[in-house]
């Protein structure tokens, strides 16, 4: 394989932002995300999050489109989580992805690993935390 260094910060929420990923379940959910990613040749640098969303720092091979990689991680992890915890768990369809330089990897990893603290203390990276949501049309047909 050719040499590659591609770094992405991925974020997505639980379905309907349900607070499923409690501190008691967090390690197991994060392990399923890591396992799902690695199963598809995606290198995981960090996994973190809160009760209703996750952050991952990953390196995706150039042979795998980013959208496909995210779809595979979400699909496989959702299946594994449902097998372990029972049916009813799911991820929101939308996601956020940002690329970053290798020199920023330690800072991104630190931010991801400390997600609960960042949310508790309000020391968030606003651009990263603004997650896309489903488009909602108002009565006149416009977006709100």
């Amino acid at each position: 394989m050719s040499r590659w260094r591609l770094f992405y910060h991925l974020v997505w929420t639980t379905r309907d932002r349900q607070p499923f990923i409690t501190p008691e379940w967090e390690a197991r959910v994060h392990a399923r995300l890591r396992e799902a990613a690695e199963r598809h040749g995606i290198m995981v640098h960090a996994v973190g999050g809160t009760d209703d969303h996750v952050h991952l720092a990953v390196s995706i091979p150039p042979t795998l489109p980013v959208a496909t990689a995210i779809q595979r991680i979400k699909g496989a992890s959702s299946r594994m989580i449902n097998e372990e915890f029972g049916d009813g768990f799911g991820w929101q369809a939308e996601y956020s992805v940002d690329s970053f330089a290798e020199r920023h990897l330690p800072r991104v990893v630190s931010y991801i690993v400390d997600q609960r603290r960042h949310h508790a203390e309000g020391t968030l990276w606003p651009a990263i935390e603004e997650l896309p949501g489903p488009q909602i049309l108002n009565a006149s047909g416009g977006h709100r």
Side-chain angles (χ1 to χ4, degrees):
M1 175 81 170
S2 301
R3 177 191 169 284
W4 54 274
R5 283 184 159 66
L6 304 168
F7 299 91
Y8 301 95
H9 185 164
L10 312 177
V11 185
W12 58 79
T13 66
T14 57
R15 185 178 322 140
D16 299 324
R17 294 202 79 136
Q18 291 294 312
F20 180 85
I21 310 169
T22 61
E24 300 83 49
W25 297 107
E26 183 176 76
R28 290 164 68 186
V29 170
H30 292 181
R32 297 306 156 260
L33 285 160
R34 184 178 293 276
E35 183 180 340
E38 291 172 351
R39 179 182 296 174
H40 295 287
I42 299 162
M43 247 190 310
V44 179
H45 304 287
V47 179
T50 64
D51 291 356
D52 67 356
H53 72 280
V54 294
H55 290 250
L56 291 87
V58 299
S59 289
I60 300 171
T63 55
L64 183 61
V66 175
T68 302
I70 293 169
Q71 179 183 28
R72 288 179 180 176
I73 296 169
K74 289 169 72 177
S77 65
S78 181
R79 279 190 299 279
M80 287 187 279
I81 292 165
N82 276 309
E83 287 172 4
E84 189 168 345
F85 300 112
D87 288 335
F89 176 81
W91 299 114
Q92 197 85 336
E94 296 80 15
Y95 59 85
S96 171
V97 60
D98 291 281
S99 62
F100 61 92
E102 185 174 16
R103 70 179 178 275
H104 297 297
L105 182 60
R107 186 169 176 231
V108 172
V109 166
S110 176
Y111 181 73
I112 290 172
V113 170
D114 290 334
Q115 270 295 289
R116 288 199 183 271
R117 181 179 60 79
H118 287 296
H119 278 268
E121 295 175 1
T123 55
L124 302 172
W125 294 351
I128 299 293
E129 296 292 337
E130 292 175 11
L131 296 171
Q135 295 293 319
I136 300 171
L137 296 178
N138 61 25
S140 64
H143 290 94
R144 59 178 172 115

